[in-house]
Amino acid sequence: MLVIGFCLAPGLWQLLTSFKFNADISAIPNIYLPTRLTGVHYVELFARRPFLSYMFNSFLVSILSTVLALGLGAPAAYALARLRLPGEGAILTAILIITLFPYILLFLGLLEIVQALKLGNNYLALIIPYTAINLPLTILVMRSFFQQLPRDLEDAAKVDGYKTWQTLTQIVLPLTTPALVTTGILAFIFAWNEYIFALSFITREDLKTIPVAAAQLGGTAAFEIPYGPIAAATVVGTLPLVLLVLFFQRRIVQGLTAGAIKG
Amino acid sequence: MATLELQNIRKSYTPNVVPVKDISLTAAEGEFLTLLGPSGCGKSTILRLIAGLELPTSGKVLMNGRNVSHLAPGDRNIAMVFQSYALYPHMSVFENIASGLKLRKISTAEIKQRVNEVVQILGLQELLHRKPSQLSGGQRQRVAVARALVRQPDIFLLDEPLSNLDALLREQVRAELKQLFAKQRAPIVYVTHDQTEAMTLSTKVAVLHQGILQQLDSPQKIYSHPANQFVAGFIGSPQMNFLTVPCQRNNALVGKTLIPLPKSFNQASEQIILGIRPEDIRIAQSDEQATIQGQVFLIENLGMHNLISLKLETQYQEALVVRALLPTASHYRESERLSLVFPSRAFHWFDVQTGDGVRDIGHSEIDER
C-alpha cells in the first residue's frame, strides 16, 4: 500500500489540482482534498488553446511511428529468429548496442539532418526518429517471442502450402499478438511522451504535440504559473495512455491463453 | 499411381554431422513403410527430406517418377502429421483442417464437403468450432490426422504421431490408424522408435542406425531373419540373447553343448555370436538330448510369462547369461538348475567382427518366398 501510494501520489496530486479552484491551489496551508470542484481549467485549456489539435498531432505521430516500428521490426525479427544468416551475431550485437545508446546524443546529428532535408515543421521529422529509436527494442522483443514458437507450426504451414510471407502474416503474427501489443504500447508511450525532438523540430503552433504544448502553457504575467491548466493538460495528456493500456491489457491476457499448443 | 523413391539420399550439416548417409528406399502405392530406429538414427531427417523441409546434400527424391528434390514442400502434394500435431492455435478445428485446401484455391463448397467426409470418419463433428486448446490430446491427434487426410495427397508422412499419447490411448489410436490408412491408396511413410508400432502397422520396415539403412523387409522377415546384430537386438522385446561362443571345427561350443555351425561360416574365425530370442527357449523334456544346463539367478514376472535369467554352465571362465521367456504355469525358484532346449530353427548367427548375419545357405534358400 505504501509503495502504491508513493507511486500514485504525484499523479493524484495533479489530478486533484486540475479540479481545484485557483484560490484553493494557492491556499496556505495546503488544501489536500478540495471541497469544491470545477472544470474551469479544462474548459480554458480547450477554449484558449488548440488542445484538440495538439492531441491529434500526438496521436498521428505516435500511431504512425508505432505501426512503422512494428511493420519493419517484426519481419526483421522473424528473419533473425528463423533464417540462418551470416553475421547474425554481429547484427544482434549491433542492435543491442543501439538500444544502449542514450538517444539525446543523437539529437545534434538529427537536427543537422532535419535541417538538410528541410523536414522541420513536418510530421516526418518526428515519425522517422521515433520509429528508428523504437526499432531495436521491437526487433529484440519480437525475436525472442518468435523463437519460442514451435518450429513444427511453421513446418506444418509449409507443408500445407503457405508461402513464407503468408506464414508470417497468417500463422506467426496472430500467435504473437501479445508481443506485438506489448512492444506496440512501449513504442507508443515513448512517442507520446517524447519532448526534446518534438520541441526542437516543430515550431509551428498547429503541429505541436501535447508534451511540448503542456510545457509551454504560460500565465498572463511572467511570474504567474498557471498550475490549474498545467495540471489539466497533464491529465489530458496521460489519460489516453491509461485508457490504451487498460484496453489492451485484456488483449494481452487473451492472446497469452489462446497461444497454448499443448495442454 | 503414386510412388515414392529415394535415390542415394545423403544429408550432411557439417563434414562430421551426417544424419543421413546414402539411403535408397521405395514406397509403392498401398504400402505402409515404417522408418524404425533409435533416436538420432536419421529417421526424422529422412522424413523431412521427403517433405522438402530439408534439402538433400546429394541424391534425389522422386515422386511418381518425377524429381521433386528442389520443390518447396507446398508444391509436392504431400501431407504430414507432426509429433507435436502442430495445429494452428488461433484457428478452429474446421479452419485447421481446411487451411491446406483454401490455399489451393478449392471452392468453398468442395472444401466443406471434403472436410465433412473426413470429420465423419474421425468422429470430430462436434468439435469443428473448438480451438485446439479446448481439445484433449487424443482429439488433437485426430485433428492432425484429419488435416492430412483431407488433402488427398500423393504421399502421407507421419512423424511419431503416437508418441505424445498415454499408453492406453496409444494402443487404441494405433488400431484406428491401421484401419484408417488401410483404406488409403497413397503410400505412407511412418517414423517411429517404437517397434510395436512398426510391427503392427507396416507392410515394410526400414531399420536405420547411424544414418545407414540396416534392413528393408516385411515386419515378419525383420523379426525372423534379422540382417545383422543391430536389427536383431533392436527388434523383439525382451531383447534377443547374444552369446559370444568359441568355435571348434564345425561346431560352436555353447555351455557344454556342441551346436553345428552354419555351412557358410568362415572356419578361420575362432568365435561366433549366437543369437536366440528369449521366447524361443524352452524347458527340456526328460528324454531330450542336447540340452543346455543353467542356473536361475533372477525371475521377473511379466504376467503372461516369466522372464528368467540364467547363468549357463561352461567349460571356460566367462559366464554366459541367457534370458528365457517361460510360461508362468510352472514355478521356478532362484538358484534352481534347469535344462534348456535351444531349437536350431531359432538360431541367428552373427559375425563377431562385423555383426553381420551369417546365413545357413541351405536354410535360407528354403525360407526365401
Side-chain angles (χ1 to χ4, degrees):
Chain A
M1 276 303 284
L2 208 67
V3 175
I4 293 173
F6 185 77
C7 293
L8 286 183
L12 216 58
W13 182 248
Q14 286 288 3
L15 183 67
L16 289 174
T17 306
S18 75
F19 285 110
K20 284 182 202 169
F21 283 99
N22 276 332
D24 288 347
I25 292 173
S26 48
I28 294 173
N30 282 338
I31 298 176
Y32 288 101
L33 289 173
T35 46
R36 314 170 293 165
L37 295 176
T38 174
V40 70
H41 300 309
Y42 289 92
V43 176
E44 202 179 325
L45 209 59
F46 286 98
R48 284 233 229 128
R49 287 178 163 268
F51 230 79
L52 271 179
S53 128
Y54 298 150
M55 284 183 79
F56 171 78
N57 294 337
S58 270
F59 263 116
L60 190 79
V61 168
S62 307
I63 285 177
L64 281 181
S65 64
T66 305
V67 167
L68 270 177
L70 292 180
L72 295 173
Y78 186 61
L80 282 171
R82 280 298 190 249
L83 305 179
R84 283 191 211 114
L85 299 172
E88 197 182 324
I91 297 174
L92 284 174
T93 317
I95 292 174
L96 194 67
I97 289 174
I98 296 171
T99 58
L100 300 177
F101 211 72
Y103 86 100
I104 300 294
L105 294 183
L106 302 172
F107 172 67
L108 282 177
L110 274 175
L111 191 63
E112 291 287 325
I113 295 172
V114 166
Q115 278 173 342
L117 296 178
K118 303 209 175 1
L119 281 177
N121 281 329
N122 189 326
Y123 288 128
L124 282 179
L126 296 184
I127 292 172
I128 294 172
Y130 290 174
T131 307
I133 285 168
N134 279 321
L135 258 179
L137 185 74
T138 312
I139 292 176
L140 290 178
V141 173
M142 291 306 293
R143 177 174 166 272
S144 69
F145 262 82
F146 286 145
Q147 280 181 326
Q148 282 167 20
L149 276 188
R151 224 170 237 270
D152 271 359
L153 266 184
E154 288 149 63
D155 288 342
K158 274 189 212 162
V159 171
D160 261 351
Y162 288 92
K163 302 274 175 277
T164 309
W165 184 252
Q166 289 174 314
T167 309
L168 179 66
T169 54
Q170 292 177 35
I171 307 288
V172 174
L173 284 185
L175 292 178
T176 42
T177 319
L180 283 176
V181 170
T182 314
T183 44
I185 286 180
L186 288 179
F188 188 89
I189 291 176
F190 170 83
W192 184 267
N193 289 338
E194 207 285 329
Y195 178 71
I196 298 205
F197 291 177
L199 178 70
S200 332
F201 300 158
I202 304 287
T203 48
R204 253 169 62 191
E205 193 62 28
D206 58 331
L207 293 182
K208 276 182 185 166
T209 60
I210 287 195
V212 178
Q216 288 179 343
L217 284 176
T220 39
F223 298 108
E224 188 198 344
I225 300 170
Y227 287 112
I230 288 177
T234 317
V235 172
V236 169
T238 318
L239 209 58
L241 283 188
V242 175
L243 291 178
L244 188 83
V245 171
L246 286 182
F247 173 73
F248 278 113
Q249 202 174 29
R250 256 195 230 133
R251 286 300 306 268
I252 296 173
V253 176
Q254 264 180 3
L256 284 176
T257 48
I261 289 174
K262 288 189 206 167
Chain B
M1 201 183 76
T3 55
L4 168 74
E5 193 179 349
L6 301 187
Q7 286 180 351
N8 307 92
I9 286 281
R10 179 188 173 84
K11 176 74 187 176
S12 58
Y13 293 113
T14 68
N16 293 325
V17 186
V18 187
V20 178
K21 297 167 192 155
D22 195 36
I23 298 278
S24 296
L25 283 174
T26 56
E29 192 179 322
E31 273 190 326
F32 197 118
L33 169 68
T34 299
L35 307 179
L36 178 66
S39 19
C41 73
K43 54 191 191 306
S44 287
T45 312
I46 295 178
L47 201 73
R48 293 174 62 83
L49 285 165
I50 300 173
L53 295 169
E54 310 265 356
L55 293 178
T57 313
S58 66
K60 279 189 222 162
V61 182
L62 302 180
M63 281 170 59
N64 304 329
R66 198 164 57 102
N67 186 356
V68 296
S69 307
H70 294 283
L71 282 188
D75 301 330
R76 294 190 181 195
N77 200 22
I78 43 155
M80 188 158 171
V81 178
F82 290 83
Q83 185 177 2
S84 63
Y85 315 140
L87 302 178
Y88 311 127
H90 58 298
M91 296 187 188
S92 71
V93 169
F94 179 87
E95 288 166 329
N96 261 291
I97 299 176
S99 65
L101 299 180
K102 265 184 205 151
L103 286 172
R104 282 172 179 75
K105 308 244 172 359
I106 289 167
S107 71
T108 324
E110 196 191 335
I111 291 180
K112 271 212 176 120
Q113 191 223 328
R114 273 165 73 169
V115 171
N116 274 333
E117 273 173 31
V118 170
V119 159
Q120 295 273 325
I121 299 171
L122 289 161
L124 293 168
Q125 299 95 319
E126 311 293 313
L127 309 172
L128 279 183
H129 299 292
R130 299 242 195 120
K131 291 275 170 68
S133 54
Q134 298 165 307
L135 301 177
S136 71
Q139 287 168 336
R140 280 178 215 175
Q141 206 268 350
R142 291 217 295 277
V143 175
V145 172
R147 188 167 65 179
L149 283 179
V150 81
R151 292 264 315 278
Q152 301 173 354
D154 286 341
I155 288 162
F156 286 103
L157 305 175
L158 293 92
D159 188 3
E160 309 208 18
L162 302 183
S163 59
N164 277 344
L165 302 175
D166 56 58
L168 209 63
L169 196 57
R170 194 177 304 171
E171 239 167 69
Q172 189 191 329
V173 176
R174 198 176 68 208
E176 283 173 15
L177 276 187
K178 178 157 188 169
Q179 292 174 315
L180 199 64
F181 282 105
K183 293 181 193 126
Q184 300 295 324
R185 320 228 346 115
I188 296 141
V189 183
Y190 187 100
V191 161
T192 184
H193 60 262
D194 182 317
Q195 48 162 316
T196 325
E197 284 170 30
M199 299 299 278
T200 51
L201 291 169
S202 2
T203 58
K204 209 154 87 171
V205 178
V207 183
L208 296 154
H209 183 49
Q210 294 177 340
I212 295 168
L213 183 63
Q214 306 291 318
Q215 189 171 5
L216 177 66
D217 245 324
S218 69
Q220 294 76 22
K221 272 276 201 180
I222 298 253
Y223 178 80
S224 62
H225 291 83
N228 57 35
Q229 200 185 347
F230 174 80
V231 177
F234 193 73
I235 304 286
S237 169
Q239 203 187 26
M240 184 186 274
N241 294 298
F242 293 113
L243 308 173
T244 307
V245 292
C247 303
Q248 295 180 350
R249 296 215 194 118
N250 294 333
N251 293 302
L253 184 65
V254 181
K256 291 172 179 168
T257 314
L258 286 174
I259 290 176
L261 284 169
K263 291 187 189 70
S264 59
F265 181 62
N266 172 18
Q267 308 279 329
S269 182
E270 284 179 3
Q271 284 188 314
I272 192 165
I273 296 172
L274 169 64
I276 185 157
R277 295 195 184 279
E279 55 266 40
D280 289 328
I281 300 176
R282 58 182 177 82
I283 298 280
Q285 243 99 81
S286 51
D287 57 340
E288 262 179 308
Q289 301 290 309
T291 60
I292 293 161
Q293 313 295 317
Q295 194 173 28
V296 178
F297 70 91
L298 182 66
I299 302 168
E300 292 160 275
N301 191 336
L302 304 180
M304 208 159 77
H305 298 281
N306 277 327
L307 181 61
I308 298 193
S309 306
L310 306 108
K311 277 200 187 84
L312 299 188
E313 293 170 8
T314 56
Q315 292 177 335
Y316 40 90
Q317 293 289 307
E318 298 156 69
L320 286 177
V321 172
V322 156
R323 298 194 301 166
L325 212 51
L326 299 173
T328 34
S330 29
H331 199 72
Y332 307 100
R333 278 174 291 108
E334 268 179 44
S335 72
E336 185 182 349
R337 294 191 58 221
L338 293 175
S339 289
L340 303 171
V341 173
F342 290 11
S344 63
R345 316 178 27 207
F347 288 161
H348 305 275
W349 298 103
F350 302 103
D351 191 287
V352 174
Q353 252 86 50
T354 61
D356 287 342
V358 179
R359 280 283 164 77
D360 195 329
I361 294 170
H363 265 293
S364 62
E365 270 170 10
I366 300 163
D367 288 335
E368 243 23 274
R369 276 161 287 180

